[in-house]
Amino acid sequence: MKHLPLSVRAPLRLMMAPAVLFTVLLIAFPLAYTLWMSLQRYSIGESPKFIGAANYLHLVQDANFWHGMKITLLLYLLALLMQLVAGTYLGVLLHTSKRMRGLLRSVLVSPFVLPPVVVGLMWMVLLDPSLGMANWLLSKLGIAPGLWLASPAWVIPTIALIDTWQWTPYVALIVLGGLQSLPPSVFEAAQIDGVSRFATFRRITLPLLWPTIVTAGILRSVDLLRFFDIIYVTTQGGPGNTSETLNILAFRTAFEFFDFGYSSALMITLSTVVLGVTYVFLRLRQAVQW
């Protein structure tokens, strides 16, 4: 903007002012306020008291925090891997499909436009140990029924599968957009040379598609690391605390134990993890573009 004359810069800055103000009010102020709260000892009915980094020192020594961090990262890695693999496969199938492509896209959009609360309640009914359709189908196949969301061993894979069901189509549509932007001449040359479909995908499609897959990974990482809705609806962190992510722990700390200072420290820590993972993915995207 510096190379523009002053008569042009002034109106541009004036037009940008509402967007800048909106960004500050929506992002910068809540983040700054949460950071300030994380340095206080504050509960409902008490005045905030500045305690510096005491909440963060307590956080490092808190077993519940490390358990929540482990569950958050485990759920994130499991769901992200499933969604990227399944989404890439589904995107390739859509790209090669010649029939009813528009109808298939419309069907794929439906899961991720549903509210998370609706998705959670729907899967609670399907996975109900006594009346759910999942166990009914397993019984028809001669397989022992599962406890699913009530099982400490299966609750994390089950939640990851629910999120994968909802968001794999989103990844598939991103991959489909990336596939449609690839130069067709490369694939035509491979076909003329007699290269098999699998070899074409492994040696040509996948390397060219990596920036798109990494972009999908960035978008899903931000959502998965702050995963809250479906967990709270289906398990509320249970059974016990086996599905208690940092988000659930921070929520319970604030609204069940009314310790808003420590809860703010948990959220600042989680935000730092999100920013760190996003930064790693951005560097990875830059690397695969070279």
Short mmCIF file of all heavy atoms in Angstrom, two decimals, residues 21-61:
data_model
loop_
_atom_site.label_atom_id
_atom_site.label_comp_id
_atom_site.label_asym_id
_atom_site.label_seq_id
_atom_site.Cartn_x
_atom_site.Cartn_y
_atom_site.Cartn_z
N LEU A 21 -11.44 -3.68 13.05
CA LEU A 21 -12.12 -3.56 14.35
C LEU A 21 -12.85 -4.85 14.70
O LEU A 21 -12.79 -5.32 15.84
CB LEU A 21 -13.11 -2.39 14.31
CG LEU A 21 -13.91 -2.13 15.59
CD1 LEU A 21 -12.96 -1.78 16.74
CD2 LEU A 21 -14.93 -1.01 15.37
N PHE A 22 -13.50 -5.45 13.71
CA PHE A 22 -14.22 -6.71 13.93
C PHE A 22 -13.25 -7.81 14.35
O PHE A 22 -13.53 -8.59 15.26
CB PHE A 22 -14.96 -7.11 12.65
CG PHE A 22 -15.68 -8.41 12.75
CD1 PHE A 22 -16.90 -8.50 13.40
CD2 PHE A 22 -15.13 -9.57 12.21
CE1 PHE A 22 -17.57 -9.70 13.50
CE2 PHE A 22 -15.80 -10.78 12.30
CZ PHE A 22 -17.02 -10.84 12.95
N THR A 23 -12.08 -7.87 13.70
CA THR A 23 -11.08 -8.89 14.03
C THR A 23 -10.57 -8.70 15.45
O THR A 23 -10.40 -9.67 16.21
CB THR A 23 -9.91 -8.82 13.03
OG1 THR A 23 -10.41 -9.02 11.70
CG2 THR A 23 -8.88 -9.89 13.34
N VAL A 24 -10.31 -7.45 15.82
CA VAL A 24 -9.82 -7.17 17.17
C VAL A 24 -10.85 -7.57 18.22
O VAL A 24 -10.53 -8.21 19.22
CB VAL A 24 -9.45 -5.67 17.30
CG1 VAL A 24 -9.18 -5.32 18.76
CG2 VAL A 24 -8.23 -5.35 16.45
N LEU A 25 -12.11 -7.20 17.98
CA LEU A 25 -13.15 -7.51 18.95
C LEU A 25 -13.44 -9.00 19.03
O LEU A 25 -13.70 -9.53 20.11
CB LEU A 25 -14.44 -6.75 18.59
CG LEU A 25 -14.37 -5.23 18.73
CD1 LEU A 25 -15.69 -4.60 18.27
CD2 LEU A 25 -14.08 -4.82 20.18
N LEU A 26 -13.37 -9.69 17.91
CA LEU A 26 -13.75 -11.10 17.87
C LEU A 26 -12.63 -12.04 18.29
O LEU A 26 -12.88 -13.10 18.86
CB LEU A 26 -14.23 -11.47 16.46
CG LEU A 26 -14.85 -12.85 16.28
CD1 LEU A 26 -16.17 -12.93 17.05
CD2 LEU A 26 -15.07 -13.17 14.82
N ILE A 27 -11.38 -11.67 18.01
CA ILE A 27 -10.25 -12.58 18.25
C ILE A 27 -9.28 -12.02 19.29
O ILE A 27 -9.01 -12.66 20.31
CB ILE A 27 -9.50 -12.86 16.92
CG1 ILE A 27 -10.45 -13.51 15.91
CG2 ILE A 27 -8.29 -13.75 17.16
CD1 ILE A 27 -9.84 -13.72 14.55
N ALA A 28 -8.75 -10.84 19.02
CA ALA A 28 -7.68 -10.32 19.86
C ALA A 28 -8.15 -10.05 21.29
O ALA A 28 -7.47 -10.43 22.26
CB ALA A 28 -7.10 -9.05 19.24
N PHE A 29 -9.31 -9.44 21.44
CA PHE A 29 -9.78 -9.11 22.80
C PHE A 29 -10.08 -10.36 23.63
O PHE A 29 -9.63 -10.46 24.77
CB PHE A 29 -11.01 -8.20 22.73
CG PHE A 29 -11.63 -7.94 24.08
CD1 PHE A 29 -11.00 -7.10 25.00
CD2 PHE A 29 -12.81 -8.58 24.45
CE1 PHE A 29 -11.56 -6.88 26.25
CE2 PHE A 29 -13.37 -8.37 25.69
CZ PHE A 29 -12.74 -7.51 26.60
N PRO A 30 -10.86 -11.34 23.11
CA PRO A 30 -11.09 -12.55 23.92
C PRO A 30 -9.80 -13.28 24.28
O PRO A 30 -9.66 -13.80 25.40
CB PRO A 30 -11.98 -13.42 23.02
CG PRO A 30 -12.65 -12.46 22.11
CD PRO A 30 -11.64 -11.38 21.86
N LEU A 31 -8.85 -13.32 23.34
CA LEU A 31 -7.58 -14.01 23.61
C LEU A 31 -6.80 -13.27 24.70
O LEU A 31 -6.26 -13.90 25.63
CB LEU A 31 -6.75 -14.09 22.33
CG LEU A 31 -5.44 -14.88 22.43
CD1 LEU A 31 -5.71 -16.32 22.81
CD2 LEU A 31 -4.68 -14.80 21.12
N ALA A 32 -6.76 -11.94 24.60
CA ALA A 32 -6.04 -11.16 25.61
C ALA A 32 -6.72 -11.27 26.97
O ALA A 32 -6.04 -11.38 28.01
CB ALA A 32 -5.96 -9.70 25.17
N TYR A 33 -8.04 -11.27 26.98
CA TYR A 33 -8.77 -11.37 28.25
C TYR A 33 -8.56 -12.75 28.89
O TYR A 33 -8.38 -12.85 30.11
CB TYR A 33 -10.26 -11.12 28.02
CG TYR A 33 -11.07 -11.10 29.29
CD1 TYR A 33 -11.02 -10.00 30.15
CD2 TYR A 33 -11.88 -12.18 29.64
CE1 TYR A 33 -11.75 -9.98 31.33
CE2 TYR A 33 -12.61 -12.17 30.81
CZ TYR A 33 -12.55 -11.06 31.65
OH TYR A 33 -13.27 -11.05 32.82
N THR A 34 -8.56 -13.80 28.06
CA THR A 34 -8.32 -15.15 28.59
C THR A 34 -6.91 -15.26 29.15
O THR A 34 -6.69 -15.88 30.20
CB THR A 34 -8.53 -16.20 27.48
OG1 THR A 34 -9.83 -16.06 26.93
CG2 THR A 34 -8.37 -17.61 28.03
N LEU A 35 -5.94 -14.66 28.47
CA LEU A 35 -4.56 -14.65 28.97
C LEU A 35 -4.48 -13.92 30.30
O LEU A 35 -3.80 -14.38 31.23
CB LEU A 35 -3.65 -14.00 27.94
CG LEU A 35 -2.16 -13.92 28.30
CD1 LEU A 35 -1.59 -15.32 28.52
CD2 LEU A 35 -1.38 -13.19 27.21
N TRP A 36 -5.18 -12.80 30.40
CA TRP A 36 -5.19 -12.04 31.67
C TRP A 36 -5.84 -12.88 32.77
O TRP A 36 -5.34 -12.92 33.91
CB TRP A 36 -5.95 -10.73 31.47
CG TRP A 36 -6.09 -9.92 32.73
CD1 TRP A 36 -5.15 -9.09 33.28
CD2 TRP A 36 -7.22 -9.87 33.60
NE1 TRP A 36 -5.63 -8.53 34.45
CE2 TRP A 36 -6.91 -9.00 34.66
CE3 TRP A 36 -8.47 -10.49 33.58
CZ2 TRP A 36 -7.80 -8.73 35.69
CZ3 TRP A 36 -9.36 -10.23 34.61
CH2 TRP A 36 -9.03 -9.35 35.65
N MET A 37 -6.95 -13.56 32.44
CA MET A 37 -7.63 -14.38 33.43
C MET A 37 -6.76 -15.55 33.89
O MET A 37 -6.83 -15.98 35.05
CB MET A 37 -8.93 -14.93 32.84
CG MET A 37 -10.04 -13.92 32.73
SD MET A 37 -10.75 -13.54 34.34
CE MET A 37 -11.50 -15.09 34.75
N SER A 38 -5.91 -16.06 33.00
CA SER A 38 -5.06 -17.20 33.36
C SER A 38 -3.99 -16.82 34.39
O SER A 38 -3.38 -17.70 34.99
CB SER A 38 -4.39 -17.78 32.11
OG SER A 38 -3.39 -16.91 31.60
N LEU A 39 -3.79 -15.53 34.58
CA LEU A 39 -2.81 -15.06 35.56
C LEU A 39 -3.47 -14.66 36.88
O LEU A 39 -2.82 -14.08 37.75
CB LEU A 39 -2.03 -13.86 35.00
CG LEU A 39 -1.30 -14.11 33.67
CD1 LEU A 39 -0.66 -12.83 33.17
CD2 LEU A 39 -0.26 -15.20 33.82
N GLN A 40 -4.76 -14.98 37.01
CA GLN A 40 -5.52 -14.60 38.19
C GLN A 40 -6.01 -15.85 38.93
O GLN A 40 -6.14 -16.93 38.34
CB GLN A 40 -6.75 -13.76 37.81
CG GLN A 40 -6.49 -12.66 36.81
CD GLN A 40 -5.69 -11.52 37.38
OE1 GLN A 40 -5.89 -11.13 38.53
NE2 GLN A 40 -4.77 -10.98 36.59
N ARG A 41 -6.30 -15.67 40.20
CA ARG A 41 -7.10 -16.65 40.94
C ARG A 41 -8.49 -16.05 41.02
O ARG A 41 -8.72 -15.04 41.68
CB ARG A 41 -6.54 -16.90 42.34
CG ARG A 41 -7.42 -17.90 43.13
CD ARG A 41 -6.91 -18.15 44.53
NE ARG A 41 -5.66 -18.89 44.53
CZ ARG A 41 -4.51 -18.42 44.96
NH1 ARG A 41 -4.44 -17.18 45.44
NH2 ARG A 41 -3.42 -19.16 44.92
N TYR A 42 -9.44 -16.70 40.33
CA TYR A 42 -10.76 -16.10 40.23
C TYR A 42 -11.85 -17.17 40.24
O TYR A 42 -11.82 -18.11 39.45
CB TYR A 42 -10.87 -15.27 38.95
CG TYR A 42 -12.23 -14.67 38.71
CD1 TYR A 42 -12.82 -13.84 39.67
CD2 TYR A 42 -12.96 -14.96 37.57
CE1 TYR A 42 -14.07 -13.30 39.47
CE2 TYR A 42 -14.22 -14.42 37.35
CZ TYR A 42 -14.77 -13.59 38.32
OH TYR A 42 -16.02 -13.06 38.12
N SER A 43 -12.77 -17.02 41.15
CA SER A 43 -13.96 -17.86 41.20
C SER A 43 -15.17 -16.95 41.34
O SER A 43 -15.04 -15.77 41.72
CB SER A 43 -13.91 -18.83 42.38
OG SER A 43 -12.82 -19.72 42.25
N ILE A 44 -16.35 -17.48 41.04
CA ILE A 44 -17.57 -16.68 41.16
C ILE A 44 -17.77 -16.25 42.60
O ILE A 44 -17.66 -17.04 43.54
CB ILE A 44 -18.79 -17.49 40.66
CG1 ILE A 44 -18.70 -17.70 39.16
CG2 ILE A 44 -20.10 -16.78 41.01
CD1 ILE A 44 -19.84 -18.48 38.57
N GLY A 45 -18.06 -14.97 42.79
CA GLY A 45 -18.26 -14.42 44.13
C GLY A 45 -17.00 -13.86 44.75
O GLY A 45 -17.05 -13.30 45.85
N GLU A 46 -15.85 -14.03 44.07
CA GLU A 46 -14.59 -13.50 44.57
C GLU A 46 -14.02 -12.49 43.59
O GLU A 46 -14.31 -12.52 42.40
CB GLU A 46 -13.57 -14.62 44.78
CG GLU A 46 -14.00 -15.69 45.76
CD GLU A 46 -12.97 -16.78 45.89
OE1 GLU A 46 -11.91 -16.68 45.23
OE2 GLU A 46 -13.21 -17.74 46.64
N SER A 47 -13.21 -11.60 44.11
CA SER A 47 -12.52 -10.65 43.25
C SER A 47 -11.28 -11.30 42.67
O SER A 47 -10.61 -12.09 43.36
CB SER A 47 -12.12 -9.39 44.05
OG SER A 47 -13.27 -8.76 44.57
N PRO A 48 -10.96 -11.03 41.40
CA PRO A 48 -9.74 -11.60 40.82
C PRO A 48 -8.50 -11.18 41.61
O PRO A 48 -8.37 -10.02 42.02
CB PRO A 48 -9.72 -11.03 39.40
CG PRO A 48 -11.12 -10.61 39.12
CD PRO A 48 -11.70 -10.18 40.43
N LYS A 49 -7.57 -12.12 41.79
CA LYS A 49 -6.33 -11.84 42.50
C LYS A 49 -5.16 -12.28 41.62
O LYS A 49 -5.09 -13.44 41.22
CB LYS A 49 -6.29 -12.58 43.84
CG LYS A 49 -5.02 -12.34 44.62
CD LYS A 49 -5.02 -13.11 45.92
CE LYS A 49 -3.72 -12.88 46.69
NZ LYS A 49 -3.68 -13.66 47.95
N PHE A 50 -4.27 -11.35 41.33
CA PHE A 50 -3.14 -11.66 40.45
C PHE A 50 -2.19 -12.64 41.14
O PHE A 50 -1.72 -12.38 42.25
CB PHE A 50 -2.41 -10.38 40.07
CG PHE A 50 -1.24 -10.61 39.15
CD1 PHE A 50 -1.45 -10.82 37.79
CD2 PHE A 50 0.06 -10.64 39.63
CE1 PHE A 50 -0.39 -11.05 36.93
CE2 PHE A 50 1.13 -10.87 38.78
CZ PHE A 50 0.90 -11.07 37.42
N ILE A 51 -1.90 -13.77 40.46
CA ILE A 51 -1.00 -14.78 41.04
C ILE A 51 0.12 -15.13 40.06
O ILE A 51 0.84 -16.11 40.26
CB ILE A 51 -1.77 -16.05 41.43
CG1 ILE A 51 -2.55 -16.62 40.24
CG2 ILE A 51 -2.69 -15.77 42.60
CD1 ILE A 51 -3.21 -17.95 40.53
N GLY A 52 0.25 -14.37 38.98
CA GLY A 52 1.32 -14.62 38.03
C GLY A 52 1.18 -15.95 37.32
O GLY A 52 0.10 -16.31 36.83
N ALA A 53 2.26 -16.71 37.28
CA ALA A 53 2.28 -17.99 36.55
C ALA A 53 1.88 -19.17 37.42
O ALA A 53 2.11 -20.33 37.04
CB ALA A 53 3.67 -18.22 35.96
N ALA A 54 1.23 -18.92 38.56
CA ALA A 54 0.90 -20.02 39.48
C ALA A 54 -0.02 -21.04 38.84
O ALA A 54 0.12 -22.25 39.07
CB ALA A 54 0.26 -19.45 40.76
N ASN A 55 -0.99 -20.58 38.04
CA ASN A 55 -1.89 -21.52 37.38
C ASN A 55 -1.14 -22.43 36.42
O ASN A 55 -1.44 -23.62 36.30
CB ASN A 55 -2.98 -20.76 36.61
CG ASN A 55 -4.07 -20.23 37.53
OD1 ASN A 55 -4.43 -20.87 38.52
ND2 ASN A 55 -4.58 -19.04 37.23
N TYR A 56 -0.14 -21.88 35.75
CA TYR A 56 0.64 -22.68 34.80
C TYR A 56 1.56 -23.65 35.53
O TYR A 56 1.79 -24.77 35.06
CB TYR A 56 1.44 -21.77 33.88
CG TYR A 56 0.57 -20.97 32.94
CD1 TYR A 56 0.19 -19.67 33.26
CD2 TYR A 56 0.09 -21.52 31.76
CE1 TYR A 56 -0.62 -18.93 32.41
CE2 TYR A 56 -0.73 -20.79 30.91
CZ TYR A 56 -1.08 -19.50 31.24
OH TYR A 56 -1.89 -18.79 30.40
N LEU A 57 2.08 -23.24 36.69
CA LEU A 57 2.90 -24.16 37.49
C LEU A 57 2.05 -25.31 38.02
O LEU A 57 2.48 -26.48 38.04
CB LEU A 57 3.54 -23.40 38.65
CG LEU A 57 4.59 -22.35 38.27
CD1 LEU A 57 5.07 -21.59 39.50
CD2 LEU A 57 5.77 -23.00 37.56
N HIS A 58 0.82 -25.00 38.42
CA HIS A 58 -0.10 -26.04 38.88
C HIS A 58 -0.47 -26.97 37.72
O HIS A 58 -0.58 -28.20 37.90
CB HIS A 58 -1.35 -25.40 39.47
CG HIS A 58 -2.43 -26.38 39.82
ND1 HIS A 58 -2.23 -27.47 40.64
CD2 HIS A 58 -3.74 -26.44 39.44
CE1 HIS A 58 -3.35 -28.16 40.76
NE2 HIS A 58 -4.28 -27.56 40.03
N LEU A 59 -0.62 -26.40 36.55
CA LEU A 59 -0.98 -27.16 35.36
C LEU A 59 0.08 -28.22 35.05
O LEU A 59 -0.24 -29.37 34.73
CB LEU A 59 -1.15 -26.18 34.20
CG LEU A 59 -1.53 -26.67 32.81
CD1 LEU A 59 -2.42 -25.63 32.15
CD2 LEU A 59 -0.29 -26.85 31.96
N VAL A 60 1.35 -27.85 35.15
CA VAL A 60 2.44 -28.79 34.85
C VAL A 60 2.43 -29.97 35.82
O VAL A 60 2.79 -31.09 35.46
CB VAL A 60 3.80 -28.05 34.89
CG1 VAL A 60 4.94 -29.03 34.75
CG2 VAL A 60 3.87 -27.01 33.79
N GLN A 61 1.99 -29.72 37.06
CA GLN A 61 1.99 -30.77 38.09
C GLN A 61 0.66 -31.51 38.18
O GLN A 61 0.52 -32.43 38.99
CB GLN A 61 2.31 -30.15 39.45
CG GLN A 61 3.66 -29.44 39.48
CD GLN A 61 3.86 -28.60 40.74
OE1 GLN A 61 2.95 -28.48 41.55
NE2 GLN A 61 5.05 -28.03 40.89
#
